[in-house]
Amino acid sequence: MRVPLDGLPDRVTIYEVGPRDGLQNEDTIVPVADKAEFVARLAAAGLRTIETTSFVHPKWIPQLADAEELLAALDRDPALRYPVLVPNERGLDRALADGCREIAIFGSATESFARRNLNRSVDESLAMFAPVVERALAEGLWVRAYVSMACGDPWEGDVPVEQVVSVAARIMDMGCHQLSLGDTIGVGTPGQVTALIEGCAAAGIGTDRLAVHFHDTYGQALSNTLAALRAGVTTVDASAGGIGGCPYAESATGNLATEDLVWMLHGLGIDTGVDLDELVATSRWMAGRLGRPSPSRVVQALSPS
């Protein structure tokens, strides 16, 4: 039953991260053919932006060591976006060589996570990203920036809103098209999410350039998403089947499940362009490949017992 609420957008863009952020934390190495089929199934379900892989060194994330092979196996639809994560200029070189037209960089709001994830301070990581963004823009690429640990850090605890906004403003000043605020360990609550979005707006980063990325560690991902929608955000990251986490933060559990997000949005009368039945079937298929049930509550509810 669809019952709209005042103050919400008519349409939401779902930024699907399952093939990259979802699979990167899985112990089971998924064959390239299955990854390519996963991406194709997600596209067939109506998802228009699908983050496919990352050009990180294979030593750090073995699951994504097959980036070039996967991209070669994809039948990329020119009407869709297939962003890839690039950690540095070498990653950008690889992305350009494979014909990628959308990239993402991955920064941190905290020093502790920047050191663990990038082996650099926040300042050093931003200095590393600057030439990546400059070159990407010169090549006509679409560039997204992530700022992780936006709601809390397992080593530093609470992260002040002003600290997150400061890093966000510096990274967006490079010319990135979109910023995704990441609650990497899933500790955020709606008031904090609203304050972050308002802080970004005050720094000149409007909701038209914002996305949100929630993990469901404490069961807050959907409530935080609703708060973001009320604040004007219309792009939401999610992972099919709720798979994923973060290999550098053990307390980070699965991402917001795309099916759970779609169920809520459709119930609010918000258009997503996604076929929920097709999406559920895709996540059930991937769960079989991973050898474990999907953590998505909607997938569980709509699957035969």
Side-chain angles (χ1 to χ4, degrees):
M1 185 171 180
R2 301 192 176 208
V3 182
L5 289 176
D6 291 339
L8 297 180
D10 295 328
R11 182 176 178 85
V12 163
T13 298
I14 298 176
Y15 185 104
E16 175 61 46
V17 299
R20 197 278 300 173
D21 194 32
L23 291 181
Q24 73 173 10
N25 209 41
E26 294 291 333
D27 293 331
T28 302
I29 300 297
V30 179
V32 169
D34 287 347
K35 290 179 181 177
E37 184 171 350
F38 188 32
V39 173
R41 283 173 174 254
L42 292 169
L47 290 153
R48 312 327 282 164
T49 303
I50 306 168
E51 195 168 86
T52 54
T53 189
S54 174
F55 286 108
V56 296
H57 194 287
K59 172 184 176 182
W60 304 118
I61 305 181
Q63 180 72 260
L64 304 180
D66 55 7
E68 280 91 353
E69 192 177 352
L70 172 59
L71 290 169
L74 294 179
D75 183 15
R76 285 179 265 185
D77 184 337
L80 273 58
R81 282 179 168 173
Y82 301 91
V84 296
L85 196 69
V86 299
N88 48 37
E89 285 198 87
R90 171 59 183 144
L92 177 61
D93 290 338
R94 294 170 63 191
L96 289 171
D98 278 292
C100 298
R101 302 307 302 163
E102 302 91 13
I103 66 162
I105 56 175
F106 194 85
S108 172
T110 67
E111 294 292 341
S112 296
F113 189 62
R115 290 287 182 187
R116 285 166 172 81
N117 188 43
L118 297 167
N119 198 30
R120 287 169 171 80
S121 68
V122 170
D123 286 346
E124 290 167 343
S125 64
L126 293 177
M128 177 179 68
F129 292 142
V132 174
V133 176
E134 182 179 10
R135 285 183 54 203
L137 294 176
E139 293 283 349
L141 272 58
W142 181 85
V143 182
R144 162 184 261 223
Y146 287 97
V147 173
S148 56
M149 299 297 169
C151 294
D153 179 288
W155 303 280
E156 298 182 19
D158 294 343
V159 181
V161 168
E162 297 77 13
Q163 181 175 325
V164 180
V165 172
S166 174
V167 174
R170 291 172 67 188
I171 206 166
M172 290 301 281
D173 283 345
M174 296 177 191
C176 300
H177 297 95
Q178 187 177 78
L179 170 72
S180 178
L181 293 168
D183 182 9
T184 314
I185 58 173
V187 296
T189 51
Q192 185 179 15
V193 169
T194 302
L196 279 169
I197 295 168
E198 291 175 348
C200 285
I205 309 170
T207 53
D208 59 322
R209 295 197 290 156
L210 281 181
V212 288
H213 184 113
F214 298 123
H215 287 237
D216 207 31
T217 313
Y218 292 87
Q220 301 298 297
L222 282 177
S223 59
N224 288 341
T225 298
L226 187 57
L229 298 179
R230 287 188 181 278
V233 173
T234 59
T235 299
V236 180
D237 298 2
S239 175
I243 58 174
C246 177
Y248 300 103
E250 292 183 2
S251 55
T253 57
N255 293 283
L256 168 61
T258 311
E259 295 83 1
D260 299 3
L261 173 63
V262 170
W263 180 274
M264 182 185 78
L265 295 177
H266 287 185
L268 289 165
I270 297 172
D271 182 26
T272 65
V274 175
D275 184 317
L276 183 58
D277 291 336
E278 290 285 341
L279 185 59
V280 167
T282 296
S283 290
R284 289 177 57 206
W285 171 84
M286 178 50 73
R289 296 300 185 272
L290 295 174
R292 63 175 179 81
S294 167
S296 164
R297 301 297 291 271
V298 169
V299 171
Q300 294 172 21
L302 296 181
S303 296
S305 58

